[in-house]
Amino acid sequence: MPKLAIGNWKMNPDNLEGAIDLAKDEDVAGAIICPPFLYLEEISGILSKAKLGAQDVAPSSKRAQTGEISIEQLKDLQVGYVIVGHSERRALGETDEVINQKIQAVLEEGIVPILCVGEDLDTHERGDRAVIEFVSSQLNADLSGIDSDSELIVAYEPIWSISTSGSGLESTPDEANSTIESIKEVLSKMGFDEIKVLYGGSVDGDDAHQYLKEDNIDGVLVGGASLRPDEFKQIVAYANE
Ligand code: PGA
């Protein structure tokens, strides 16, 4: 069964021309591409095989929110997925309460949220139990009141594993697989049985297949390597296997 390969371009590239080139290069079946808001409209018109995602959304449709983008505006551009609660947004102060509101807003429009969870290095160093307690508390807060039949994706991204975290460390495929197995048990206890759980953190063309061949890992969320089209397409090909 094919797995998911999602590219999170973060705040890249610097100009529209670069974004158009990247989108054309990465327009392959099985890919989900999440460019910056600014390029969504143009890229929506380019993609014919890959699907389109956004990196964030406003927590509600209240119009007076300077600088925010609503779920209705994203839907109008054929966005099918929205990343919510990425650790880089949590680091800016985004709370579980706001993340929960964003998930509700996304689901109400029939769009699929990609909820990011994951622990910091201190928690990781305290061991498996501390990690699961941490992630479980995020999941309980972020999914509070959410219908367990909802279509949503969870991405387990240990913060210390993200390529730009500076730790130089990375969760091994085996370690990620076993944490995701525990995350699925937590989700199942919460009533969410059929949720796909992805791994994210320094996945690249060289090691993607090792993560993707693990039983519990349903796909990968890729940052840095999604800016390198040949590498990203290789990752998508592994996910499609
Ligand atoms: P990375 O980013 O692949 O560059 O580690 C992943 C992410 O932050 O989603």
Side-chain angles (χ1 to χ4, degrees):
M1 189 156 129
K3 296 194 170 184
L4 294 169
I6 304 179
N8 174 11
W9 292 2
K10 307 193 178 181
M11 204 167 68
N12 298 289
D14 278 343
N15 53 55
L16 178 61
E17 205 186 338
I20 290 173
D21 288 346
L22 196 53
K24 284 183 178 159
D25 269 349
E26 296 188 348
D27 184 21
V28 291
I32 299 170
I33 297 171
C34 304
F37 287 138
L38 198 57
Y39 305 139
L40 285 172
E41 181 170 6
E42 190 81 24
I43 292 178
S44 181
I46 290 172
L47 299 183
S48 63
K49 302 191 195 85
K51 295 190 178 140
L52 189 61
Q55 299 174 17
D56 192 23
V57 67
S60 78
S61 299
K62 194 165 60 103
R63 297 291 144 189
Q65 296 189 70
T66 303
E68 292 284 356
I69 307 283
S70 75
I71 193 65
E72 288 83 359
Q73 290 165 334
L74 295 178
K75 191 175 183 178
D76 187 50
L77 298 178
Q78 281 81 50
V79 164
Y81 300 83
V82 180
I83 297 173
V84 179
H86 191 282
S87 58
E88 287 156 12
R89 298 216 57 84
R90 293 181 191 256
L92 292 172
E94 188 162 296
T95 61
D96 287 310
E97 191 185 351
V98 169
I99 291 166
N100 178 257
Q101 290 165 4
K102 291 184 176 187
I103 292 174
Q104 291 187 33
V106 173
L107 287 171
E108 268 165 30
E109 289 302 324
I111 294 174
V112 181
I114 302 163
L115 167 64
C116 297
V117 294
E119 81 288 358
D120 55 18
L121 191 54
D122 278 359
T123 307
H124 170 68
E125 283 170 348
R126 292 209 305 277
D128 292 351
R129 200 166 150 174
V131 170
I132 289 307
E133 271 170 19
F134 186 96
V135 174
S136 169
S137 119
Q138 286 182 322
L139 289 170
N140 275 286
D142 299 342
L143 296 176
S144 166
I146 302 291
D147 183 347
S148 59
D149 289 335
S150 307
E151 186 182 355
L152 59 94
I153 296 169
V154 169
Y156 170 59
E157 297 205 303
I159 299 170
W160 51 275
S161 265
I162 293 178
S163 62
T164 46
S165 72
S167 76
L169 301 169
E170 191 176 342
S171 185
T172 63
D174 189 44
E175 205 178 356
N177 187 55
S178 115
T179 307
I180 288 178
E181 183 175 17
S182 308
I183 289 175
K184 286 184 170 174
E185 282 165 17
V186 170
L187 284 166
S188 172
K189 280 197 197 122
M190 293 168 60
F192 293 89
D193 277 321
E194 300 292 322
I195 305 274
K196 286 193 179 359
V197 183
L198 319 184
Y199 170 72
S202 303
V203 174
D204 60 25
D206 289 334
D207 60 16
H209 62 288
Q210 289 170 16
Y211 291 96
L212 287 163
K213 71 175 202 269
E214 296 287 350
D215 284 349
N216 291 300
I217 302 182
D218 299 314
V220 286
L221 178 53
V222 184
S226 72
L227 303 173
R228 302 188 289 272
D230 289 344
E231 212 171 318
F232 184 63
K233 281 188 284 189
Q234 179 63 65
I235 296 171
V236 177
Y238 288 135
N240 285 340
E241 268 173 14

Coordinates of all heavy atoms in Angstrom, one line a residue, residues 58-66 68 70 72:
A58 N -5.5 30.2 9.9 CA -6.0 31.0 11.0 C -6.9 30.0 11.9 O -7.5 29.1 11.4 CB -6.9 32.1 10.5
P59 N -6.9 30.3 13.2 CA -7.7 29.4 14.1 C -9.2 29.6 13.9 O -10.0 28.7 14.4 CB -7.3 29.9 15.5 CG -6.7 31.2 15.3 CD -6.2 31.3 13.9
S60 N -9.7 30.7 13.3 CA -11.1 30.8 13.1 C -11.3 31.7 11.9 O -10.4 32.2 11.3 CB -11.8 31.5 14.3 OG -11.5 32.9 14.2
S61 N -12.6 31.8 11.5 CA -12.9 32.6 10.3 C -13.3 34.0 10.6 O -13.8 34.7 9.7 CB -14.0 31.9 9.4 OG -13.5 30.6 9.1
K62 N -13.1 34.4 11.8 CA -13.4 35.8 12.2 C -12.5 36.7 11.3 O -11.3 36.5 11.2 CB -13.0 36.0 13.7 CG -13.5 37.2 14.3 CD -13.3 37.1 15.8 CE -11.9 36.9 16.3 NZ -11.1 37.9 16.8
R63 N -13.2 37.6 10.6 CA -12.5 38.3 9.5 C -11.4 39.3 10.0 O -10.4 39.5 9.3 CB -13.5 39.2 8.7 CG -14.5 38.4 8.0 CD -13.9 37.6 6.9 NE -14.6 36.3 6.8 CZ -14.2 35.3 6.0 NH1 -13.2 35.4 5.3 NH2 -14.9 34.2 6.0
A64 N -11.6 39.8 11.2 CA -10.6 40.8 11.6 C -9.4 40.2 12.3 O -9.2 40.2 13.5 CB -11.2 41.8 12.6
Q65 N -8.5 39.5 11.4 CA -7.3 38.9 12.0 C -6.1 39.3 11.0 O -5.9 38.6 10.1 CB -7.4 37.4 12.0 CG -8.5 36.9 13.0 CD -8.5 35.4 13.2 OE1 -7.6 34.9 13.8 NE2 -9.5 34.7 12.6
T66 N -5.5 40.4 11.3 CA -4.5 41.0 10.5 C -3.4 40.0 10.2 O -2.8 39.4 11.2 CB -3.9 42.3 11.1 OG1 -5.0 43.2 11.3 CG2 -2.9 42.9 10.2
E68 N -3.5 37.0 8.9 CA -3.9 35.6 8.9 C -4.5 35.2 7.5 O -4.9 36.0 6.7 CB -4.9 35.3 10.0 CG -4.3 35.4 11.4 CD -3.4 34.2 11.8 OE1 -3.3 33.3 11.0 OE2 -2.8 34.3 12.9
S70 N -7.4 32.5 6.0 CA -8.5 31.6 6.5 C -8.6 30.3 5.8 O -8.1 30.2 4.6 CB -9.9 32.3 6.3 OG -10.3 32.3 5.0
E72 N -11.2 29.1 4.4 CA -12.0 29.3 3.2 C -11.1 29.8 2.1 O -11.3 29.4 0.9 CB -13.1 30.4 3.4 CG -14.3 29.9 4.3 CD -14.0 30.0 5.8 OE1 -12.9 30.5 6.2 OE2 -14.9 29.7 6.6

